[in-house]
Amino acid sequence: MCRVSSFSILILLFCQILQQSIQGFLLPLSSKRFDRFPPTSMVQATVDKTEAEWKELLTPDQYFVLREEGTEPPNTSGLNDINDAGTFTCAGCGTPLFTTETKFDSGTGWPSFYAPIDQSSVKLSTDFKLILPRTECSCAACGGHLGHVFGDGPDPTGQRFCMNGVAMKFSSDQEYPDLAANVSVQQDQDPYKVGMWQVVPGVMINGILGGLFFNSFLIQFENGLSSPLDALPLLPAIYFGVLAVRTCGRLLLI
């Protein structure tokens, strides 16, 4: 009979929470380069407006998200269904943020991307609104709240920029070829790269979890496997081991 203890499950939950917390702290720290605007950056000069000016410029929903750091309900943004080549810009100041090339269906109900246009288009900070630290993503030019960044995205970055659709606007490459050309140049000159401390926590936590489950399997193997269920810890051991190796591969992109 399988003897996977409740303690192992608690360890699993604790490590997942710990990984998210560590990334919430370290991702902004490892991305301080976001605060540096290179001469070729497409990021506009800092946009300073009064709250009255923002309320006049933005719709109530845009103001709620961009200026009050709110969150739109999931599956309410038309940007979820956009797959045409183009650029997603800040609804507050027009700064280019993401392209369709890095957009993917995360199944969360919010527009998601695995990377911004470049190193300078967004700014990352630590958010404690839900007690546990999260990585907040804001427009680098106007400071408007866009969403949050999580470490469960696809390759090559492994990140999920979970954005509020109401905080952005879409410009197709066909209608705005000049914008598309400028974005392409900026991507080549200042490509987005994942920071080392955005990757290391995932490698460590997944490696530890894989090792714990594999050790549990070895103990049961040495005591004799009485049923196929006794080998169950081997499955999460392989799963987390693969995740650790896969995450290590992202270090090569740094």
Side-chain angles (χ1 to χ4, degrees), residues 21-155:
S21 299
I22 291 175
Q23 288 178 330
F25 275 115
L26 296 182
L27 197 152
L29 294 177
S30 66
S31 304
K32 287 185 177 180
R33 57 195 174 208
F34 279 88
D35 295 329
R36 301 200 296 267
F37 297 172
T40 57
S41 175
M42 294 179 62
V43 177
Q44 302 177 10
T46 302
V47 179
D48 291 320
K49 294 182 182 293
T50 64
E51 292 306 307
E53 290 174 327
W54 282 120
K55 287 183 178 180
E56 183 177 353
L57 175 66
L58 303 172
T59 67
D61 289 340
Q62 290 173 334
Y63 184 85
F64 171 66
V65 172
L66 286 166
R67 311 314 307 176
E68 296 183 336
E69 301 181 0
T71 301
E72 67 183 6
N75 300 305
T76 58
S77 174
L79 298 187
N80 282 323
D81 301 322
I82 291 181
N83 296 307
D84 296 335
T87 302
F88 296 83
T89 60
C90 175
C93 65
T95 296
L97 303 171
F98 303 93
T99 65
T100 313
E101 183 181 359
T102 62
K103 185 173 182 288
F104 69 98
D105 184 5
S106 64
T108 61
W110 288 282
S112 300
F113 307 83
Y114 63 75
I117 285 177
D118 56 33
Q119 297 285 39
S120 307
S121 55
V122 298
K123 181 178 180 180
L124 305 182
S125 60
T126 303
D127 173 7
F128 291 93
K129 289 184 177 64
L130 296 182
I131 301 179
L132 291 176
R134 298 182 300 170
T135 302
E136 180 182 2
C137 179
S138 306
C139 173
C142 69
H145 173 75
L146 301 172
H148 292 86
V149 187
F150 302 94
D152 56 4
D155 289 333

Side-chain angles (χ1 to χ4, degrees), residues 131-219:
I131 301 179
L132 291 176
R134 298 182 300 170
T135 302
E136 180 182 2
C137 179
S138 306
C139 173
C142 69
H145 173 75
L146 301 172
H148 292 86
V149 187
F150 302 94
D152 56 4
D155 289 333
T157 66
Q159 296 178 336
R160 171 169 58 92
F161 287 76
C162 187
M163 304 292 98
N164 289 280
V166 72
M168 301 183 295
K169 295 182 178 180
F170 177 74
S171 301
S172 70
D173 288 351
Q174 186 174 2
E175 294 183 37
Y176 299 91
D178 291 341
L179 174 62
N182 291 335
V183 167
S184 179
V185 170
Q186 186 58 30
Q187 287 177 315
D188 292 337
Q189 294 180 339
D190 190 27
Y192 176 74
K193 294 182 179 179
V194 181
M196 178 175 294
W197 287 108
Q198 296 170 252
V199 178
V200 170
V203 176
M204 294 178 58
I205 297 300
N206 288 318
I208 291 173
L209 287 173
L212 287 173
F213 280 101
F214 187 67
N215 182 66
S216 177
F217 167 75
L218 288 180
I219 292 175

Side-chain angles (χ1 to χ4, degrees), residues 7-22:
F7 178 73
S8 298
I9 298 177
L10 291 176
I11 288 293
L12 170 62
L13 294 176
F14 172 77
C15 287
Q16 291 293 346
I17 294 174
L18 179 63
Q19 178 180 353
Q20 185 61 50
S21 299
I22 291 175

